């Protein structure tokens, strides 16, 4: 991703993450858009040049159809997938699987042993994809509405 692509990605990511927080975080307090902006700025304080963070565009025939954001911690031999986002019209067509496979090959070249991610409970499509690709549950957050 170049700087302009990152700027557009980051703006869009804040909007998308704010929507996800609105759907999944059931707490009083901070407005989801403010919380999203704050969290993302904390994760990427130097933007696309934040050390150990890798941001990529996903292409099909020279058209950007999605994005990938990964943090790699070589000393821990671990990587965390912050995001794989594929535009809706390209979902369920094998792009997610192909991208994860490419990422895994890239991580193997870096001698990374563990590939981690988080998926919200209502994102059943992503959950099924990750499960099919061999990801297992490392922990579960649960919620019960009192009202």
């Amino acid at each position: 991703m170049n700087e302009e692509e990152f700027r557009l990605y980051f703006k869009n990511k804040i909007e998308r993450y704010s929507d996800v927080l609105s759907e999944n975080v059931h707490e009083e307090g901070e407005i989801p858009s403010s919380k999203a902006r704050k969290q993302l700025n904390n994760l990427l304080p130097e933007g696309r040049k934040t050390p150990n963070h890798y941001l990529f565009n996903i292409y099909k025939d020279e058209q950007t159809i999605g994005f990938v954001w990964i943090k790699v911690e070589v000393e821990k031999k671990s990587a965390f997938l912050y995001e794989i986002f594929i535009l809706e019209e390209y979902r369920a067509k094998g792009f997610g699987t192909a991208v994860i496979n490419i990422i895994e090959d890239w991580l193997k070249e870096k001698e990374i042993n563990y590939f981690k991610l988080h998926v919200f409970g209502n994102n059943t499509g992503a959950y099924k994809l990750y499960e099919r690709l061999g990801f297992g549950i490392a922990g579960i957050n649960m919620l019960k509405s009192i009202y």
Side-chain angles (χ1 to χ4, degrees), residues 9-31:
Y9 165 77
F10 196 76
K11 179 181 177 196
N12 182 266
K13 174 65 178 165
I14 290 170
E15 292 171 13
R16 288 185 287 107
Y17 190 44
S18 176
D19 291 343
V20 168
L21 291 175
S22 294
E23 294 172 12
N24 293 283
V25 177
H26 306 282
E27 299 170 348
E28 298 293 323
E30 199 168 7
I31 298 168

Side-chain angles (χ1 to χ4, degrees), residues 82-117:
Y82 276 101
E83 177 173 50
I84 178 172
F85 176 79
I86 297 175
L87 295 173
E88 194 155 342
E89 61 266 30
Y90 294 96
R91 293 180 190 164
K93 296 183 178 174
F95 292 107
T97 298
V99 170
I100 293 293
N101 288 331
I102 290 168
I103 293 167
E104 287 180 3
D105 289 343
W106 181 69
L107 293 173
K108 285 176 188 173
E109 290 174 12
K110 294 182 169 301
E111 299 181 354
I112 300 300
N113 294 332
Y114 304 101
F115 190 17
K116 303 178 282 185
L117 57 85

Side-chain angles (χ1 to χ4, degrees), residues 8-101:
L8 294 171
Y9 165 77
F10 196 76
K11 179 181 177 196
N12 182 266
K13 174 65 178 165
I14 290 170
E15 292 171 13
R16 288 185 287 107
Y17 190 44
S18 176
D19 291 343
V20 168
L21 291 175
S22 294
E23 294 172 12
N24 293 283
V25 177
H26 306 282
E27 299 170 348
E28 298 293 323
E30 199 168 7
I31 298 168
S33 59
S34 297
K35 186 173 186 170
R37 182 178 312 281
K38 186 187 301 181
Q39 286 182 353
L40 293 170
N41 279 319
N42 285 339
L43 290 169
L44 293 169
E46 297 176 41
R48 71 181 184 95
K49 295 179 182 177
T50 302
N52 305 317
H53 288 258
Y54 299 85
L55 295 118
F56 303 101
N57 293 320
I58 301 169
Y59 293 102
K60 179 185 183 324
D61 302 328
E62 298 183 30
Q63 179 182 352
T64 301
I65 64 164
F67 314 99
V68 175
W69 172 14
I70 304 167
K71 181 179 182 184
V72 176
E73 295 184 86
V74 175
E75 64 283 350
K76 292 182 180 180
K77 295 191 173 288
S78 178
F80 188 85
L81 179 68
Y82 276 101
E83 177 173 50
I84 178 172
F85 176 79
I86 297 175
L87 295 173
E88 194 155 342
E89 61 266 30
Y90 294 96
R91 293 180 190 164
K93 296 183 178 174
F95 292 107
T97 298
V99 170
I100 293 293
N101 288 331

Side-chain angles (χ1 to χ4, degrees), residues 26-28 143-147:
H26 306 282
E27 299 170 348
E28 298 293 323
L143 168 78
K144 178 181 177 182
S145 179
I146 303 301
Y147 284 94

